[in-house]
Amino acid sequence: MAIYLEFPRLDKAFPYRCIENDGSILTTPHWHKEMEIIWIVKGKVNLGVNDQPMQLKENEFVFIKGGDIHYVMASPKSERLVFQFDLSFFQDVMVLKNTPFTLEELFASIEPYSTFWRPDIQKKIVQLLIKLYQEGKEQQIGYAYAIKSLLCELITVMYRELDHFKPRMVSNKPYSREILEQLSMVFQYVEKNYTHPIKLADAAKILGFTPSYFTKFFKKHTGKTFVTFLNEYRIDKAKWILLNEDDPVTEIAGKVGFGSTKTFYRLFKESIGIAPLQYKSSTIKVAFGQDQI
């Protein structure tokens, strides 16, 4: 399946939104014309922008400009906030032409990953992201003005503060789109076949790779081994079944492709921290406002 073009559901009059994602959500390679900031609130997250894979930790973030191809791997025990906005949001200021380069040029010139930024600048951006999230969550009177003000402040920091270090320019290598097309093919293959046994050689064959080359390719461009990715994907599906159906755990293990219930129990507990039935019970209690066990 080709890399897809996403159309974020943004209000034309107020083209901004903030999305909360937990670590169970995997985002396959895609792109859109809107700007995006992914901020890691908790844990570690493996993701990639164009042909550059990266692992981000708590309070680190990445700027994704319009047209950048990006994906996010499922990362258990993590949480992230995704901020999306269209540059037309700043049209009233952009027409003033009072900056040496445009917003598009600004976002194109900076190092996207905050891990390469000065700590004091990272801290300023994180504080602004926290305020953006809180304004959108609480929606007190005048919150729309506050959100636009905070985004303008964020851009001001980028214009004024990022001059103090040299941006690490990341070139768009000609094969980056091909690599992400290949990853997308693997993701889609797993989605269609995870309920059945999948061997490493099966996935490698999709791309015409040898198992050995595929192993290195997948780890290099996702930060995870294929087996780890597959197990986490299946556990993700099992979590949904646990919360939405009443099947016995032994049946759930088979439904998501685990040949052994014992293996399913072990990997589920390693990933989530508790056994499947404990997860089901505790999550339902929290959902209904009861004390977590």
Side-chain angles (χ1 to χ4, degrees), residues 2 11 39 65 70 77 80 98-99 135 147 155 173 185 238 240 244 272 280 290:
D11 187 330
W39 172 40
K65 66 180 184 296
H70 53 288
K77 301 180 183 178
R80 62 185 184 269
N98 59 348
T99 54
E135 288 289 349
I147 286 174
I155 290 172
K173 299 179 182 178
M185 288 172 65
W240 189 93
N244 293 278
I272 309 303
K280 180 183 180 75
Q290 302 175 35

Side-chain angles (χ1 to χ4, degrees), residues 219-235:
K219 180 66 181 293
K220 177 182 178 181
H221 296 292
T222 67
K224 296 186 177 188
T225 66
F226 177 72
V227 173
T228 297
F229 164 74
L230 179 59
N231 287 335
E232 290 179 351
Y233 193 91
R234 285 170 165 162
I235 288 171

Side-chain angles (χ1 to χ4, degrees), residues 69 72-73 132 159 169 175 180 187 193 221 223 227 238-239 254 279 287:
I69 302 168
V72 183
M73 304 294 290
L132 276 169
Y159 266 121
M169 300 297 290
Y175 59 80
L180 287 159
F187 293 158
N193 298 280
H221 296 292
V227 173
K239 286 163 61 179
Y279 170 80

Side-chain angles (χ1 to χ4, degrees), residues 49-52 65-69 107-108 112 168-177 179-180:
V49 180
N50 294 325
D51 62 341
Q52 185 182 7
K65 66 180 184 296
D68 280 348
I69 302 168
F107 288 120
R168 194 175 70 92
M169 300 297 290
V170 180
S171 61
N172 290 323
K173 299 179 182 178
Y175 59 80
S176 62
R177 181 174 289 272
I179 288 172
L180 287 159

Side-chain angles (χ1 to χ4, degrees), residues 117-126 157 161-162 165:
W117 293 22
R118 277 185 7 217
D120 60 319
I121 300 177
Q122 289 187 56
K123 187 175 180 180
K124 284 185 180 181
I125 298 297
V126 167
V157 170
E161 307 278 350
L162 295 187
F165 77 97

Side-chain angles (χ1 to χ4, degrees), residues 253-285:
K255 274 188 173 183
V256 298
F258 285 103
S260 163
T261 303
K262 185 177 180 180
T263 299
F264 170 63
Y265 265 101
R266 176 176 60 80
L267 291 175
F268 192 99
K269 194 168 184 178
E270 286 178 4
S271 177
I272 309 303
I274 54 178
L277 290 180
Q278 287 178 297
Y279 170 80
K280 180 183 180 75
S281 176
S282 61
T283 304
I284 289 176
K285 284 179 178 292

Side-chain angles (χ1 to χ4, degrees), residues 115-139:
T115 49
F116 300 102
W117 293 22
R118 277 185 7 217
D120 60 319
I121 300 177
Q122 289 187 56
K123 187 175 180 180
K124 284 185 180 181
I125 298 297
V126 167
Q127 289 173 341
L128 290 171
L129 295 177
I130 291 172
K131 291 178 180 178
L132 276 169
Y133 170 71
Q134 290 174 337
E135 288 289 349
K137 192 76 172 177
E138 298 169 4
Q139 295 195 359

